[in-house]
């Protein structure tokens, strides 16, 4: 029988988060750029059309998925981003993605 206390789970989750952030900071920018560009070239036909796609707004050293989210939005998918509510619950909300003329450039994206 599995016997885990909530305190132990919270500590493990916090330590995992700390370790993950340390590891993300070690990834070279050139490697991140490589994978960000690979995202743009993926075959996404398996998604079908007009689905709700959950994403995230990258912060700090997270992989920049904004170009992919913009592409998916322009292809007719709805994009849901996480939002922490007043009650401290994680909620995904449908977002409208807007771009400026500068967003047409390969590396420039506004959200």
């Amino acid at each position: 029988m599995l016997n885990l206390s909530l305190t132990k789970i919270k500590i493990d989750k916090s330590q995992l988060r700390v370790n993950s952030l340390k590891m993300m900071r070690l990834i070279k920018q050139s490697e991140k750029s490589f994978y960000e560009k690979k995202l743009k070239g993926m075959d996404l036909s398996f998604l079908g059309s007009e689905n709700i796609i959950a994403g995230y707004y990258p912060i700090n050293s997270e992989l920049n998925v904004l170009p992919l989210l913009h592409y998916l939005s322009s292809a007719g998918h709805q994009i849901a981003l996480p939002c922490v509510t007043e009650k401290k619950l994680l909620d995904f909300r449908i977002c409208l993605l807007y771009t400026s003329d500068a967003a047409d450039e390969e590396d420039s994206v506004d959200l």
Side-chain angles (χ1 to χ4, degrees):
M1 177 156 252
L2 190 60
N3 185 12
L4 295 173
S5 70
L6 288 178
T7 304
K8 171 117 174 77
I9 292 171
K10 287 181 181 178
I11 291 170
D12 290 346
K13 186 176 177 182
S14 295
Q15 190 59 49
L16 282 170
R17 187 175 290 121
V18 168
N19 291 346
S20 295
L21 288 173
K22 284 180 183 177
M23 290 172 55
M24 281 194 294
R25 287 187 194 109
L26 295 174
I27 299 172
K28 296 176 186 173
Q29 184 57 44
S30 60
E31 289 180 72
K32 281 186 193 177
S33 295
F34 172 79
Y35 287 107
E36 288 166 359
K37 289 179 181 171
K38 293 274 284 182
L39 285 174
K40 292 180 189 178
M42 288 178 54
D43 176 12
L44 301 173
S45 60
F46 67 93
L47 291 175
S49 62
E50 299 182 17
N51 290 307
I52 297 174
I53 308 291
Y56 63 90
Y57 192 94
I59 56 173
N60 299 322
S61 57
E62 294 177 329
L63 189 66
N64 183 5
V65 296
L66 294 179
L68 175 62
L69 296 179
H70 278 279
Y71 171 77
L72 291 169
S73 177
S74 69
H77 299 286
Q78 294 182 67
I79 305 301
L81 297 178
C83 173
V84 178
T85 67
E86 291 178 15
K87 295 181 181 180
K88 307 262 190 246
L89 299 173
L90 187 62
D91 185 26
F92 280 80
R93 299 189 178 172
I94 302 296
C95 299
L96 298 175
L97 301 182
Y98 295 99
T99 61
S100 67
D101 291 338
D104 292 334
E105 298 174 18
E106 186 174 332
D107 295 323
S108 176
V109 177
D110 297 333
L111 184 68

